[in-house]
Every structure is written in C-alpha cells, then in structure tokens.
Amino acid sequence: MDPSKYRPRDRFDTPYWTTNAGAPVSNNQNSLTVGPRGPVLLEDYHLIEKLANFDRERIPERVVHARGATAKGVFTVTHDITHLTYADMFRQVGMETPVAVRFSTVVHSRHSPETLRDPRGFAVKFYTREGNWDLVGNNFPVFFIRDGIKFPDMVHAFKPNPRTEDQEWWRVWDFFSHHPESCHMFSFLLDDEGIPQDYRHMKGSGVHTFRMINRDGKDTYVKFHWVPTLGERALLDDDAVMVGGKDFSHATHDLIQAIDRGDFPEWSLFIQTMDPATENNYDFDPLDVTKTWPEDIFPLQPVGRLVLNRNVDNQFLENEQIAFSPAVIVPGIYYSEDKLLQARLFSYADTQRYRLGGNYLLLPINAPKNPHHNNHYDGAGNFMHREGEVNYFPSKVEGTLHAPVYPATPSQSLSPSPRMKVTIEKENNFAQAGARFRSFDPSRQERFVTRVAAALNAPRVTPESKSIWLENWRRCDANLGRRIAEKMSMNKL
C-alpha cells in the first residue's frame, strides 16, 4: 500500500477490527477490567475511542428542511437555450451533467412523518465542468414572504410553541396577519397539493427569479420549473393519516425502492423568460417571490430531462451532509434583486458552515467534480492534500492566473438610488390567490374552504386574527371569504 495515495474507504477495509488509528483490536465485546468484574480501566483505548466516537455521531440538524431524501442521477439538455445563456452545462443538446437531488419537508424535525401538510424542498446540485450549480427550490412556485428579514420570525411561527412543543395555528395566523402577501402561498399549502403523494409525483420550482446571461452580455429574467414525468399526485387528508400510520417515512422508502428496482423517476425542466426591460409592464413585480408569472404571457419552454438512477451509498454522508446554497452558481447564471433570494445567498451557506464546518465544500458529496484551485487553507475538517509552498496571491513563483472574464450585465439596482427599508410598490397581495381559488373545481374549492375554516377555528386563534384573515380571503375572492366565514360559524354549532 502506498500511504501517500491511501484514502479511508470501506472498500479497503480489513476483515479484522481495528482502532481508528489502524491498530488491531482483538476483543470488541469486552472492556478491559481489573479482574472479571471490574472496575474498567481508563487505559482501554479502544473502549474510550468507541464511546467518544458514538457520543459525536450526531451533528446539528438543519433548522428547516431537516427531514429529507437524496438520490443521484443525470441531467440531459433536450432543447437549445444558448441564445439565453453561455452556461457550459447548456452548451449543446445532448449534454449530460451529473446531479444530486435532495427532497425534503420544511418545518419539522429530521424524523418527522412525511405525510404532514408542509411545503417540500426540491434542491438540485449540478456538477458542471465550470463548478457546481445549486438550484435550491420547493414544490410550490411561490413563498410566504418576500423579504428575508422576516424569515427567522416566519420559521419560528411555524415551529412548535417553545413552551408546549406544539405546532399551533394561532401562532401561524397571528404572525401572518401582518403579512397579507402570504395568501397566495396558503392557497397552495391548504389546497389538495399541500401533501404530495411522494417525491416521484411532485413538481419542483426554483421559486425565485434568476438571470441568464448570453455571450453578448444580454441578460434575461428566468424562472425554473420541474415537471414529473409520472404526473403530479397528492394525498387528501384522510389518505395522509392512513399512509402515515403505516409508514411515516413512506416518501423516502418509495424513492429508494423505485430506484432499486430500476423504475427511475424523471422530471422535465422548463423555464419561463422575461425581458428585464418590460418588468414594469405588469400588475405585479416580477421579482416578488409571492407571485407567479402567468403562463399565458410567459409560456413554459422545455430545456432538459432529469433522471435519478442511483441511491446514495450512505444516508449520513450523502443525505445529511449534502449542502445547498442558492449563492452557488456558474457563469451564465446570476442572481436577481429578489429580496428573499438576496438574504438566502448568505443564510444557506452560513447554516452549512455551522452544521458541517467551514470546509463543508470539501466533503465528497459537496465538492466540485472539475479541477479547482484557491488559497482557502487549513481550518477544522480540511483534508485537502496540498504540497505547494505558496499559499498567497499574487506571486511570481506560483503561476496561477485569474480565470477569463465572462460577459456580465450589471445589476439594474446599481443605478443611483437612496437607501431605504420599504415594501415594494406593487404588492398586489390578493389577485393571484383569488384567481387560483376560482380555478379549482367545486369539490376542490370546498376542501380548501374546509381546511382554512378549521385552521382559523383552531384553539387560541384570536378574534382579531380571525377578522383580519376573513378580510384577507374576502379580498382574494368575495365568495371565498363568505364561504370560509359560514363554515367557521357552522363548525361552532
């Protein structure tokens, strides 16, 4: 064995037990003691190492998206979009890029049931030839809030009560009574789509508006959408109770078992595009994450196909330690000024530094698969093997160069403008939620009304919160507001 090329891996395991340092262990069943009954000796190095390792097996779970499942596969370009972006992974039809995808619930803890009514995460890591690209989205195309400064409070409102450890509707309605922009997201969450049947039958969305930049430096606003080949399916309330009662990890098991038997799940990637010069032509702000872009104005355009054909080798190494951040992009794709996206650019990477350490991007599941080079030396968990003597830049001894300059369009918001903390001008908080409700068939409308009314009638929801929310729903659709109020009154009888 060449020690300079050896890397710990279970395929190199010896058939005998050893310590972490490689020394043989002749007895892994009994502690070293004075006599047959003890006491146990502190010099039993293997015992101490075994217990110490066990005591440190758990790392902090994600604050959100703690419960999830990961699989690997490939993304294939099926349609030419080189007129929109010079991103290398889209350079030609037929181009294949390896991916890792993590599906998740949002609010609840790591081992919570996968049948709870909750948004679902849909995060894709593309291992491109020019670095990784993380497209970090959800199953719904909108979100509850439009400004990241509200995100910690929003999560706190959804999380269990810090005194009782109960997730309680009165806290949710109280917080969101101050945020009518959440109506649109609640029209998804409390709809039939609120509990996906499993991950294979779930849509995905990049949620935010991004930019694509082409070789000429022209930028285009873009939204990303994943559409499952199997179609979209969800669990109604009673079905969710039955499924969860039999298997609270049903979605994870369904994904793993499908891939094991060769029934590989697929999604098609679509985009919507908009010329930034036209962004003021609509009754909504295109960068407002609480809004969708109407498909009759901005049709879905096919881009590629995602196939998941490999399960992870180890749940801890490749599901618990996989880390996503919308800040991780590649040339040809850039951020918009979406306020929530701008906050996530910091927060997502920062939470991984806390959970996994400052060198989390060196972990195999997170590391780029293309050659890379920087002077980010040392620190806890840095196992990058280096032999160089120059760890600074610039240098006349070590000849690493700056990468070529890529075409880029400066942010539209960099024009002179006063600094301010204000809400966007075109809030338009109710129109799209109302239109969505009116698109439901009568039975689906009735189920939505029933769920909203039950949640508003939950214990400790204040009369003020009820009044505010009945008015919000009335402003979305007069019939919707009336029906919710009637249903709430009926349920009190």
Side-chain angles (χ1 to χ4, degrees), residues 209-245:
T209 299
F210 290 86
R211 295 174 182 267
M212 282 186 166
I213 306 170
N214 68 14
R215 288 288 177 188
D216 298 325
K218 175 178 172 52
D219 75 321
T220 302
Y221 285 154
V222 61
K223 280 184 173 287
F224 299 97
H225 302 274
W226 297 104
V227 178
T229 303
L230 293 173
E232 184 180 19
R233 295 182 187 174
L235 296 173
L236 296 183
D237 303 75
D238 291 343
D239 297 329
V241 172
M242 293 181 62
V243 170

mmCIF file of all heavy atoms in Angstrom, residues 209-245:
data_model
loop_
_atom_site.group_PDB
_atom_site.id
_atom_site.type_symbol
_atom_site.label_atom_id
_atom_site.label_comp_id
_atom_site.label_asym_id
_atom_site.label_seq_id
_atom_site.Cartn_x
_atom_site.Cartn_y
_atom_site.Cartn_z
ATOM 1 N N THR A 209 -36.761 34.489 -9.054
ATOM 2 C CA THR A 209 -36.362 34.931 -10.390
ATOM 3 C C THR A 209 -34.844 35.006 -10.437
ATOM 4 O O THR A 209 -34.218 35.604 -9.548
ATOM 5 C CB THR A 209 -36.952 36.309 -10.704
ATOM 6 O OG1 THR A 209 -38.382 36.229 -10.660
ATOM 7 C CG2 THR A 209 -36.524 36.784 -12.085
ATOM 8 N N PHE A 210 -34.258 34.390 -11.437
ATOM 9 C CA PHE A 210 -32.816 34.458 -11.665
ATOM 10 C C PHE A 210 -32.548 35.187 -12.977
ATOM 11 O O PHE A 210 -33.479 35.581 -13.691
ATOM 12 C CB PHE A 210 -32.211 33.049 -11.701
ATOM 13 C CG PHE A 210 -32.193 32.356 -10.364
ATOM 14 C CD1 PHE A 210 -33.307 31.642 -9.918
ATOM 15 C CD2 PHE A 210 -31.078 32.420 -9.546
ATOM 16 C CE1 PHE A 210 -33.300 31.010 -8.690
ATOM 17 C CE2 PHE A 210 -31.055 31.780 -8.312
ATOM 18 C CZ PHE A 210 -32.174 31.084 -7.878
ATOM 19 N N ARG A 211 -31.285 35.347 -13.302
ATOM 20 C CA ARG A 211 -30.881 35.931 -14.574
ATOM 21 C C ARG A 211 -30.088 34.903 -15.366
ATOM 22 O O ARG A 211 -29.278 34.175 -14.805
ATOM 23 C CB ARG A 211 -29.988 37.155 -14.364
ATOM 24 C CG ARG A 211 -30.642 38.336 -13.690
ATOM 25 C CD ARG A 211 -29.587 39.417 -13.422
ATOM 26 N NE ARG A 211 -30.150 40.554 -12.724
ATOM 27 C CZ ARG A 211 -30.630 41.634 -13.333
ATOM 28 N NH1 ARG A 211 -30.603 41.700 -14.647
ATOM 29 N NH2 ARG A 211 -31.134 42.639 -12.640
ATOM 30 N N MET A 212 -30.310 34.857 -16.647
ATOM 31 C CA MET A 212 -29.422 34.166 -17.567
ATOM 32 C C MET A 212 -28.725 35.219 -18.421
ATOM 33 O O MET A 212 -29.348 36.211 -18.823
ATOM 34 C CB MET A 212 -30.195 33.183 -18.452
ATOM 35 C CG MET A 212 -30.550 31.884 -17.762
ATOM 36 S SD MET A 212 -31.307 30.697 -18.913
ATOM 37 C CE MET A 212 -31.196 29.187 -17.932
ATOM 38 N N ILE A 213 -27.445 34.993 -18.694
ATOM 39 C CA ILE A 213 -26.649 35.945 -19.465
ATOM 40 C C ILE A 213 -26.041 35.212 -20.647
ATOM 41 O O ILE A 213 -25.475 34.121 -20.490
ATOM 42 C CB ILE A 213 -25.536 36.560 -18.595
ATOM 43 C CG1 ILE A 213 -26.131 37.161 -17.318
ATOM 44 C CG2 ILE A 213 -24.757 37.616 -19.386
ATOM 45 C CD1 ILE A 213 -25.105 37.582 -16.294
ATOM 46 N N ASN A 214 -26.163 35.792 -21.844
ATOM 47 C CA ASN A 214 -25.604 35.135 -23.025
ATOM 48 C C ASN A 214 -24.248 35.727 -23.395
ATOM 49 O O ASN A 214 -23.729 36.627 -22.716
ATOM 50 C CB ASN A 214 -26.585 35.169 -24.202
ATOM 51 C CG ASN A 214 -26.813 36.572 -24.746
ATOM 52 O OD1 ASN A 214 -26.069 37.515 -24.449
ATOM 53 N ND2 ASN A 214 -27.854 36.723 -25.562
ATOM 54 N N ARG A 215 -23.668 35.221 -24.466
ATOM 55 C CA ARG A 215 -22.314 35.628 -24.864
ATOM 56 C C ARG A 215 -22.214 37.109 -25.205
ATOM 57 O O ARG A 215 -21.134 37.703 -25.125
ATOM 58 C CB ARG A 215 -21.859 34.794 -26.070
ATOM 59 C CG ARG A 215 -21.543 33.346 -25.737
ATOM 60 C CD ARG A 215 -20.258 33.228 -24.954
ATOM 61 N NE ARG A 215 -19.964 31.854 -24.558
ATOM 62 C CZ ARG A 215 -18.974 31.517 -23.744
ATOM 63 N NH1 ARG A 215 -18.206 32.462 -23.203
ATOM 64 N NH2 ARG A 215 -18.761 30.256 -23.422
ATOM 65 N N ASP A 216 -23.331 37.709 -25.589
ATOM 66 C CA ASP A 216 -23.338 39.132 -25.941
ATOM 67 C C ASP A 216 -23.553 40.020 -24.726
ATOM 68 O O ASP A 216 -23.630 41.254 -24.869
ATOM 69 C CB ASP A 216 -24.428 39.401 -26.981
ATOM 70 C CG ASP A 216 -24.182 38.648 -28.277
ATOM 71 O OD1 ASP A 216 -22.994 38.502 -28.657
ATOM 72 O OD2 ASP A 216 -25.166 38.199 -28.903
ATOM 73 N N GLY A 217 -23.692 39.408 -23.559
ATOM 74 C CA GLY A 217 -23.909 40.191 -22.350
ATOM 75 C C GLY A 217 -25.365 40.552 -22.109
ATOM 76 O O GLY A 217 -25.675 41.285 -21.176
ATOM 77 N N LYS A 218 -26.271 40.047 -22.927
ATOM 78 C CA LYS A 218 -27.691 40.328 -22.725
ATOM 79 C C LYS A 218 -28.224 39.430 -21.617
ATOM 80 O O LYS A 218 -27.994 38.227 -21.616
ATOM 81 C CB LYS A 218 -28.476 40.080 -24.013
ATOM 82 C CG LYS A 218 -29.991 40.235 -23.846
ATOM 83 C CD LYS A 218 -30.721 40.039 -25.152
ATOM 84 C CE LYS A 218 -32.242 40.008 -24.946
ATOM 85 N NZ LYS A 218 -32.743 41.158 -24.185
ATOM 86 N N ASP A 219 -28.947 40.022 -20.682
ATOM 87 C CA ASP A 219 -29.490 39.199 -19.604
ATOM 88 C C ASP A 219 -31.000 39.088 -19.738
ATOM 89 O O ASP A 219 -31.679 39.948 -20.306
ATOM 90 C CB ASP A 219 -29.076 39.719 -18.237
ATOM 91 C CG ASP A 219 -29.822 40.961 -17.813
ATOM 92 O OD1 ASP A 219 -30.068 41.823 -18.688
ATOM 93 O OD2 ASP A 219 -30.140 41.084 -16.626
ATOM 94 N N THR A 220 -31.515 37.986 -19.215
ATOM 95 C CA THR A 220 -32.931 37.654 -19.293
ATOM 96 C C THR A 220 -33.375 37.145 -17.925
ATOM 97 O O THR A 220 -32.693 36.321 -17.311
ATOM 98 C CB THR A 220 -33.170 36.541 -20.342
ATOM 99 O OG1 THR A 220 -32.687 36.971 -21.617
ATOM 100 C CG2 THR A 220 -34.650 36.206 -20.450
ATOM 101 N N TYR A 221 -34.499 37.659 -17.442
ATOM 102 C CA TYR A 221 -35.072 37.080 -16.234
ATOM 103 C C TYR A 221 -35.569 35.674 -16.547
ATOM 104 O O TYR A 221 -36.128 35.416 -17.617
ATOM 105 C CB TYR A 221 -36.250 37.912 -15.735
ATOM 106 C CG TYR A 221 -35.887 39.207 -15.070
ATOM 107 C CD1 TYR A 221 -36.796 40.279 -15.058
ATOM 108 C CD2 TYR A 221 -34.678 39.388 -14.416
ATOM 109 C CE1 TYR A 221 -36.497 41.476 -14.424
ATOM 110 C CE2 TYR A 221 -34.362 40.570 -13.784
ATOM 111 C CZ TYR A 221 -35.278 41.616 -13.794
ATOM 112 O OH TYR A 221 -34.981 42.799 -13.168
ATOM 113 N N VAL A 222 -35.409 34.757 -15.572
ATOM 114 C CA VAL A 222 -35.813 33.369 -15.806
ATOM 115 C C VAL A 222 -36.346 32.751 -14.521
ATOM 116 O O VAL A 222 -35.867 33.049 -13.415
ATOM 117 C CB VAL A 222 -34.631 32.538 -16.362
ATOM 118 C CG1 VAL A 222 -33.468 32.519 -15.369
ATOM 119 C CG2 VAL A 222 -35.048 31.116 -16.696
ATOM 120 N N LYS A 223 -37.357 31.921 -14.668
ATOM 121 C CA LYS A 223 -37.855 31.084 -13.579
ATOM 122 C C LYS A 223 -37.752 29.625 -14.019
ATOM 123 O O LYS A 223 -37.979 29.301 -15.192
ATOM 124 C CB LYS A 223 -39.309 31.430 -13.219
ATOM 125 C CG LYS A 223 -39.444 32.657 -12.327
ATOM 126 C CD LYS A 223 -40.885 32.872 -11.934
ATOM 127 C CE LYS A 223 -41.041 33.995 -10.912
ATOM 128 N NZ LYS A 223 -40.571 33.643 -9.560
ATOM 129 N N PHE A 224 -37.427 28.742 -13.063
ATOM 130 C CA PHE A 224 -37.205 27.326 -13.356
ATOM 131 C C PHE A 224 -38.343 26.476 -12.790
ATOM 132 O O PHE A 224 -38.821 26.722 -11.674
ATOM 133 C CB PHE A 224 -35.885 26.859 -12.745
ATOM 134 C CG PHE A 224 -34.675 27.579 -13.281
ATOM 135 C CD1 PHE A 224 -34.127 28.657 -12.596
ATOM 136 C CD2 PHE A 224 -34.084 27.190 -14.472
ATOM 137 C CE1 PHE A 224 -33.010 29.322 -13.077
ATOM 138 C CE2 PHE A 224 -32.969 27.843 -14.966
ATOM 139 C CZ PHE A 224 -32.433 28.912 -14.273
ATOM 140 N N HIS A 225 -38.743 25.453 -13.552
ATOM 141 C CA HIS A 225 -39.842 24.569 -13.143
ATOM 142 C C HIS A 225 -39.504 23.125 -13.481
ATOM 143 O O HIS A 225 -39.079 22.822 -14.600
ATOM 144 C CB HIS A 225 -41.139 24.962 -13.851
ATOM 145 C CG HIS A 225 -41.570 26.373 -13.615
ATOM 146 N ND1 HIS A 225 -42.324 26.754 -12.525
ATOM 147 C CD2 HIS A 225 -41.334 27.502 -14.343
ATOM 148 C CE1 HIS A 225 -42.541 28.059 -12.587
ATOM 149 N NE2 HIS A 225 -41.953 28.533 -13.677
ATOM 150 N N TRP A 226 -39.735 22.224 -12.511
ATOM 151 C CA TRP A 226 -39.580 20.782 -12.719
ATOM 152 C C TRP A 226 -40.954 20.148 -12.799
ATOM 153 O O TRP A 226 -41.783 20.322 -11.895
ATOM 154 C CB TRP A 226 -38.786 20.153 -11.571
ATOM 155 C CG TRP A 226 -37.389 20.631 -11.421
ATOM 156 C CD1 TRP A 226 -36.910 21.505 -10.485
ATOM 157 C CD2 TRP A 226 -36.260 20.248 -12.217
ATOM 158 N NE1 TRP A 226 -35.557 21.693 -10.637
ATOM 159 C CE2 TRP A 226 -35.123 20.934 -11.706
ATOM 160 C CE3 TRP A 226 -36.089 19.405 -13.301
ATOM 161 C CZ2 TRP A 226 -33.858 20.794 -12.237
ATOM 162 C CZ3 TRP A 226 -34.816 19.263 -13.846
ATOM 163 C CH2 TRP A 226 -33.727 19.951 -13.315
ATOM 164 N N VAL A 227 -41.200 19.374 -13.846
ATOM 165 C CA VAL A 227 -42.492 18.705 -14.035
ATOM 166 C C VAL A 227 -42.256 17.196 -14.066
ATOM 167 O O VAL A 227 -41.516 16.701 -14.929
ATOM 168 C CB VAL A 227 -43.171 19.163 -15.331
ATOM 169 C CG1 VAL A 227 -44.490 18.409 -15.527
ATOM 170 C CG2 VAL A 227 -43.419 20.672 -15.301
ATOM 171 N N PRO A 228 -42.866 16.424 -13.150
ATOM 172 C CA PRO A 228 -42.616 14.983 -13.093
ATOM 173 C C PRO A 228 -43.240 14.262 -14.279
ATOM 174 O O PRO A 228 -44.397 14.506 -14.640
ATOM 175 C CB PRO A 228 -43.259 14.558 -11.768
ATOM 176 C CG PRO A 228 -44.317 15.592 -11.514
ATOM 177 C CD PRO A 228 -43.794 16.878 -12.092
ATOM 178 N N THR A 229 -42.479 13.349 -14.873
ATOM 179 C CA THR A 229 -42.988 12.544 -15.986
ATOM 180 C C THR A 229 -44.161 11.682 -15.545
ATOM 181 O O THR A 229 -45.091 11.417 -16.327
ATOM 182 C CB THR A 229 -41.862 11.654 -16.548
ATOM 183 O OG1 THR A 229 -40.772 12.480 -16.955
ATOM 184 C CG2 THR A 229 -42.348 10.840 -17.739
ATOM 185 N N LEU A 230 -44.152 11.248 -14.290
ATOM 186 C CA LEU A 230 -45.228 10.404 -13.766
ATOM 187 C C LEU A 230 -46.509 11.178 -13.490
ATOM 188 O O LEU A 230 -47.540 10.581 -13.174
ATOM 189 C CB LEU A 230 -44.770 9.708 -12.478
ATOM 190 C CG LEU A 230 -43.659 8.670 -12.619
ATOM 191 C CD1 LEU A 230 -43.203 8.196 -11.237
ATOM 192 C CD2 LEU A 230 -44.126 7.493 -13.460
ATOM 193 N N GLY A 231 -46.458 12.506 -13.593
ATOM 194 C CA GLY A 231 -47.604 13.323 -13.242
ATOM 195 C C GLY A 231 -47.580 13.711 -11.773
ATOM 196 O O GLY A 231 -46.850 13.134 -10.961
ATOM 197 N N GLU A 232 -48.376 14.701 -11.418
ATOM 198 C CA GLU A 232 -48.429 15.190 -10.040
ATOM 199 C C GLU A 232 -49.571 14.498 -9.294
ATOM 200 O O GLU A 232 -50.693 14.424 -9.792
ATOM 201 C CB GLU A 232 -48.639 16.700 -10.014
ATOM 202 C CG GLU A 232 -48.614 17.296 -8.625
ATOM 203 C CD GLU A 232 -48.831 18.795 -8.627
ATOM 204 O OE1 GLU A 232 -49.349 19.312 -9.638
ATOM 205 O OE2 GLU A 232 -48.494 19.446 -7.622
ATOM 206 N N ARG A 233 -49.261 13.990 -8.104
ATOM 207 C CA ARG A 233 -50.267 13.353 -7.263
ATOM 208 C C ARG A 233 -50.098 13.830 -5.826
ATOM 209 O O ARG A 233 -48.977 14.102 -5.389
ATOM 210 C CB ARG A 233 -50.154 11.834 -7.315
ATOM 211 C CG ARG A 233 -50.453 11.212 -8.678
ATOM 212 C CD ARG A 233 -50.353 9.701 -8.614
ATOM 213 N NE ARG A 233 -50.464 9.079 -9.933
ATOM 214 C CZ ARG A 233 -50.298 7.785 -10.164
ATOM 215 N NH1 ARG A 233 -50.013 6.970 -9.148
ATOM 216 N NH2 ARG A 233 -50.412 7.299 -11.390
ATOM 217 N N ALA A 234 -51.205 13.890 -5.102
ATOM 218 C CA ALA A 234 -51.162 14.328 -3.708
ATOM 219 C C ALA A 234 -52.059 13.441 -2.865
ATOM 220 O O ALA A 234 -52.891 12.682 -3.395
ATOM 221 C CB ALA A 234 -51.602 15.788 -3.604
ATOM 222 N N LEU A 235 -51.873 13.532 -1.550
ATOM 223 C CA LEU A 235 -52.698 12.787 -0.608
ATOM 224 C C LEU A 235 -53.743 13.728 -0.015
ATOM 225 O O LEU A 235 -53.404 14.815 0.465
ATOM 226 C CB LEU A 235 -51.837 12.223 0.527
ATOM 227 C CG LEU A 235 -50.767 11.186 0.152
ATOM 228 C CD1 LEU A 235 -49.900 10.873 1.368
ATOM 229 C CD2 LEU A 235 -51.414 9.914 -0.387
ATOM 230 N N LEU A 236 -55.008 13.321 -0.055
ATOM 231 C CA LEU A 236 -56.016 14.052 0.685
ATOM 232 C C LEU A 236 -55.865 13.744 2.175
ATOM 233 O O LEU A 236 -55.151 12.827 2.573
ATOM 234 C CB LEU A 236 -57.408 13.677 0.183
ATOM 235 C CG LEU A 236 -57.693 14.052 -1.283
ATOM 236 C CD1 LEU A 236 -59.132 13.688 -1.654
ATOM 237 C CD2 LEU A 236 -57.413 15.526 -1.548
ATOM 238 N N ASP A 237 -56.563 14.510 3.002
ATOM 239 C CA ASP A 237 -56.302 14.478 4.444
ATOM 240 C C ASP A 237 -56.443 13.076 5.049
ATOM 241 O O ASP A 237 -55.568 12.618 5.787
ATOM 242 C CB ASP A 237 -57.247 15.458 5.150
ATOM 243 C CG ASP A 237 -57.109 16.870 4.599
ATOM 244 O OD1 ASP A 237 -57.609 17.117 3.480
ATOM 245 O OD2 ASP A 237 -56.494 17.704 5.267
ATOM 246 N N ASP A 238 -57.528 12.398 4.746
ATOM 247 C CA ASP A 238 -57.741 11.066 5.323
ATOM 248 C C ASP A 238 -56.711 10.065 4.793
ATOM 249 O O ASP A 238 -56.252 9.175 5.532
ATOM 250 C CB ASP A 238 -59.154 10.577 5.013
ATOM 251 C CG ASP A 238 -60.217 11.373 5.763
ATOM 252 O OD1 ASP A 238 -59.852 12.052 6.741
ATOM 253 O OD2 ASP A 238 -61.390 11.323 5.356
ATOM 254 N N ASP A 239 -56.366 10.198 3.518
ATOM 255 C CA ASP A 239 -55.352 9.305 2.946
ATOM 256 C C ASP A 239 -54.013 9.496 3.643
ATOM 257 O O ASP A 239 -53.284 8.529 3.894
ATOM 258 C CB ASP A 239 -55.186 9.579 1.450
ATOM 259 C CG ASP A 239 -56.459 9.285 0.669
ATOM 260 O OD1 ASP A 239 -57.200 8.386 1.084
ATOM 261 O OD2 ASP A 239 -56.700 9.977 -0.343
ATOM 262 N N ALA A 240 -53.674 10.750 3.939
ATOM 263 C CA ALA A 240 -52.395 11.039 4.601
ATOM 264 C C ALA A 240 -52.328 10.384 5.970
ATOM 265 O O ALA A 240 -51.278 9.867 6.379
ATOM 266 C CB ALA A 240 -52.195 12.550 4.721
ATOM 267 N N VAL A 241 -53.454 10.380 6.687
ATOM 268 C CA VAL A 241 -53.490 9.746 8.004
ATOM 269 C C VAL A 241 -53.235 8.245 7.883
ATOM 270 O O VAL A 241 -52.464 7.653 8.653
ATOM 271 C CB VAL A 241 -54.846 10.012 8.691
ATOM 272 C CG1 VAL A 241 -54.955 9.193 9.977
ATOM 273 C CG2 VAL A 241 -55.000 11.496 8.997
ATOM 274 N N MET A 242 -53.853 7.622 6.892
ATOM 275 C CA MET A 242 -53.679 6.180 6.705
ATOM 276 C C MET A 242 -52.251 5.839 6.275
ATOM 277 O O MET A 242 -51.631 4.916 6.812
ATOM 278 C CB MET A 242 -54.678 5.677 5.663
ATOM 279 C CG MET A 242 -56.126 5.745 6.099
ATOM 280 S SD MET A 242 -57.254 5.106 4.842
ATOM 281 C CE MET A 242 -56.689 3.411 4.727
ATOM 282 N N VAL A 243 -51.718 6.580 5.311
ATOM 283 C CA VAL A 243 -50.362 6.303 4.826
ATOM 284 C C VAL A 243 -49.349 6.523 5.947
ATOM 285 O O VAL A 243 -48.451 5.698 6.176
ATOM 286 C CB VAL A 243 -50.033 7.179 3.606
ATOM 287 C CG1 VAL A 243 -48.546 7.070 3.246
ATOM 288 C CG2 VAL A 243 -50.895 6.786 2.416
ATOM 289 N N GLY A 244 -49.475 7.654 6.643
ATOM 290 C CA GLY A 244 -48.540 7.953 7.728
ATOM 291 C C GLY A 244 -48.616 6.974 8.870
ATOM 292 O O GLY A 244 -47.609 6.684 9.534
ATOM 293 N N GLY A 245 -49.814 6.414 9.106
ATOM 294 C CA GLY A 245 -49.966 5.434 10.173
ATOM 295 C C GLY A 245 -49.250 4.128 9.868
ATOM 296 O O GLY A 245 -48.828 3.419 10.786
#
